[in-house]
Amino acid sequence: MNPVLDARLEAVLELVQAQVHADIGSDHAHLPIRILRAGRASRCIAVELNPGPLAHSRRSAVRSGLGERLEVREGNGFDPLHAGEVDSASMTGMGTGTIVGVLQRAGDKLPAALVLQPNDSPRSIRQWACASGYHLMAERLMPGYWAYPVLRLERALGNDPAYVGVPLRAALRYGPHLLREQSPLLRQHIQEDLLRLTPLAAPGRNAYGELATAQEALAWLDDRRAEQNRQ
Ligand SMILES: C[S@@+](CC[C@H](N)C(=O)[O-])C[C@H]1O[C@@H](n2cnc3c(N)ncnc32)[C@H](O)[C@@H]1O
């Protein structure tokens, strides 16, 4: 049977296209199974750090009947992979701090394409990408317990053109492609941030800067909408 993916992992699946793909922090291994069955990679390596999820990955891999096309390895981040072994990797359902830590430790094992789905603000992933030679090729915002961002990054030269024409601070927090798309879910997500941050914001507090960023993002969306209504 095909494992059912929730909306965030369906979005990740659609953004993976690889020869050999690594899913790091795979747990149930549902994502690599679906990637292989959908023909979005020829081979997958599921990496897991913790014993319970590792056993879960191994059980799912055996049950999938995918044989050598799906390999499960124990380890931390990219540690159990060789340089150049995979051309793409995903990390999903983790905190941004964990994801960025794994990326920073990966060194020459980092593949050319990454699909990342953090559970909290992806700002530091976007900042890492700008500083590390990756461009933001696609973004999705998926409904769920929270609004889940999904980012596809690809290694590329020069400054990332995704950030041209959008306010940088708002784009690093909410996503340049997502801002341009002006989806109702993004607007709702920003409005929820405004409600949450307004009572917390005082000069010198983190929430003060976060609130200003949310206000800037909403003002930019409102300006675009007004401009489109005039056309
Ligand atoms: C919340 S689960 C998400 C599972 C799955 N990726 C998903 O999106 O549904 C996070 C998984 O990442 C694993 N993990 C956390 N840090 C890791 C690391 N540095 N290397 C490998 N696996 C890690 C955890 O053991 C856990 O199984």
Side-chain angles (χ1 to χ4, degrees), residues 17 21 28 44 69 81 96 110 204 206 211:
Q17 192 65 64
H21 180 83
H28 38 71
C44 281
R69 295 180 65 208
L81 302 171
T96 296
L110 269 180
N206 208 19
L211 180 64

Side-chain angles (χ1 to χ4, degrees), residues 8-9 23-28 47-50 53 75-77 91-94 98 102 105 117 119:
R8 72 189 165 90
L9 287 183
D23 184 42
I24 294 171
S26 202
D27 192 359
H28 38 71
V47 175
E48 247 302 331
L49 177 63
N50 292 304
N76 190 340
M91 278 185 273
T92 68
M94 299 182 199
T98 303
V102 168
R105 289 192 303 274
Q117 179 270 298
N119 284 345

Side-chain angles (χ1 to χ4, degrees), residues 10 13 31 34 50 55 59 91 94 96 100 104 112 125 127 132 137 143 180 182 186-187 194 209 231:
E10 280 290 347
L13 171 69
L31 179 64
R34 288 288 306 277
N50 292 304
R59 273 196 310 274
M91 278 185 273
M94 299 182 199
T96 296
V100 171
Q104 283 170 336
I125 293 177
Q127 287 169 327
S132 309
M137 306 308 286
R180 278 193 204 90
Q182 304 171 57
L186 178 65
R187 184 175 276 277
L194 288 171
Q231 284 167 4

Side-chain angles (χ1 to χ4, degrees), residues 64-78:
S64 74
L66 286 160
E68 289 178 357
R69 295 180 65 208
L70 175 55
E71 190 186 339
V72 178
R73 293 188 195 167
E74 180 178 7
N76 190 340
F78 286 84

